[in-house]
Amino acid sequence: MAEIFAGLPKVEYKGSLSKDALAFKYYDAGKVVLGKPMKEHLRFAMAWWHNVCATGADMFGPGTATKLFGAAAVGTMEHAHAKVDAGFEFMDKLGIEYFCFHDVDLVPEAADINETNKRIDEIADHILEKQAESGKKLLWGTANMFSNPRYMNGAGSSNSADVYCFAAAQVKKALEVTVKLGGKGYVFWGGREGYETLLNTDVGFEQENIAALMKMAVEYGRSIGFDGDFYIEPKPKEPMKHQYDFDAATAAGFLKKYGLDKDFKLNIEANHATLAGHSFQHDLRIAAVEGMFGSVDANQGDLLLGWDTDEFPFDIYETTFAMYEIIKAGGFTNGGLNFDSKNRRPSYTYEDMFKGFILGMDSFALGLVKAAAIIEDGRIDAFVKERYSSYDNTDHGRKIRNGTATLAELAAVAEGLGAPALPGSGRQEELQSAVNQILFG
Ligand code: XUL
Ligand code: CO
């Protein structure tokens, strides 16, 4: 088979002093950090849609990149097969072990769902062959239930029971392919599960229907041997004005309300967290506190733009704090870092595709090293422990901690104290200085 990225090398680690634009400066797959090789901490994945599909089209103009990969035309099965060859060559050259897909990233969608499903089977066979040759693995699969016009009012939240059946059919098929390709994750991103106006919307009914679709997915998935994690990927808005899975806290509450929390975790995306008015670190922490930390869509937004720009991660503070949360949450089990990231529109060459991943992988590798250094340094952990020490050092504190205190007895403590001492400095500036010192030496 002809090389698609001819002239582009297998990307190697050359160290932080290298000026080779096609080499890793920080990502050294086998380097052990906190007892585990980098690649096991990071579990990088390639998103089919942004990498082998997206051409840079936006609301104001068509794509700038040509991603034919040797095929004669886009939207053909020849092109779908070429994307498989390109995707596996790309993963091989970048040393990426996982990939993620939506059903219709794999094949051009036909007018009739039966024909689409046949096409998916054909491409899944091709992917399976490539996986057997290369050892690459599927991180997660999903169904695109937001692009086709039938989903204008949502999928699980659609006002139309017929459309709901199409959503069921797509979830069923995507789960089958996920199982066939050995995937350990299945994502629900509710792109159009929300509303534009309450004047025409029955919010309670829509949420019940979404939960019912998820329940059916769990039952079906488990019945065909899916033993991985289901994920909700929260996002507050875009494309809808208001999306039900607003953020980690909202999604966790939804999953608990409907009894889905045993089977579901969260897939936290950086740019979605910032759209919700949170930091990436915040949503990772909430997922962990809820016992639902699962997987990550790695990217970054642009706070000056305020929409989902899906840029490759570049900000080392962000990757450091993200890796800090991920390590503290116990690291990935079935999840990983999926680059839901795309090149900027003027970066339209095959070489730019490589450089996007080099940037993202290096940013997270450096973030991992720095997060490990913060943990090993110990100052942050020690201060957090000290900050709450009155819950360990006093009788009333211990009683509050172990849940045996009563309101009356705590009131008596306050009355005995008269005027309370201030609760101690938060020392934020000192801690931020310590982080800078660890990051920059
Ligand atoms: C959209 C987004 C999706 C999901 C999968 O903002 O993040 O690509 O990751 O549907
Ligand atoms: Co995403």
Side-chain angles (χ1 to χ4, degrees), residues 99-121:
F99 61 97
C100 301
F101 68 84
H102 300 87
D103 46 2
V104 299
D105 301 332
L106 301 181
V107 297
E109 197 174 1
D112 182 321
I113 196 167
N114 299 295
E115 172 58 22
T116 306
N117 286 349
K118 264 192 233 156
R119 294 178 184 179
I120 291 174
D121 287 337

Side-chain angles (χ1 to χ4, degrees), residues 145 153-165 167-168 171 188 190 192-194 201-218 232 244-245 254 257-258 260 264:
M145 304 194 295
N153 299 327
S157 64
S158 179
N159 59 305
S160 158
D162 287 358
V163 170
Y164 193 97
C165 292
V171 171
F188 281 86
R192 295 195 196 268
E193 310 291 33
T201 305
D202 185 339
V203 171
F205 181 62
E206 291 195 359
Q207 294 204 346
E208 269 169 32
N209 281 354
I210 294 168
L213 184 63
M214 289 177 174
K215 232 174 221 155
M216 287 185 262
V218 170
I232 283 185
Y244 296 133
D245 304 326
F254 174 88
K257 175 175 178 187
Y258 290 103
L260 291 160
F264 273 78

Side-chain angles (χ1 to χ4, degrees), residues 47 49-50 101-102 105 140 142-146 187-191 233-235 237-239 243 267 269 271-272 275 297 299 308 310 338 340:
W49 54 102
H50 278 328
F101 68 84
H102 300 87
D105 301 332
W140 51 257
T142 188
N144 175 329
M145 304 194 295
F146 46 89
V187 165
F188 281 86
W189 170 59
E233 182 179 321
K235 185 175 184 184
K237 58 187 170 187
E238 197 200 352
Q243 283 166 210
N267 181 38
E269 177 163 328
N271 205 164
H272 295 181
L275 281 176
D297 269 12
N299 57 24
D308 195 12
D310 287 344
N338 168 48
D340 194 350

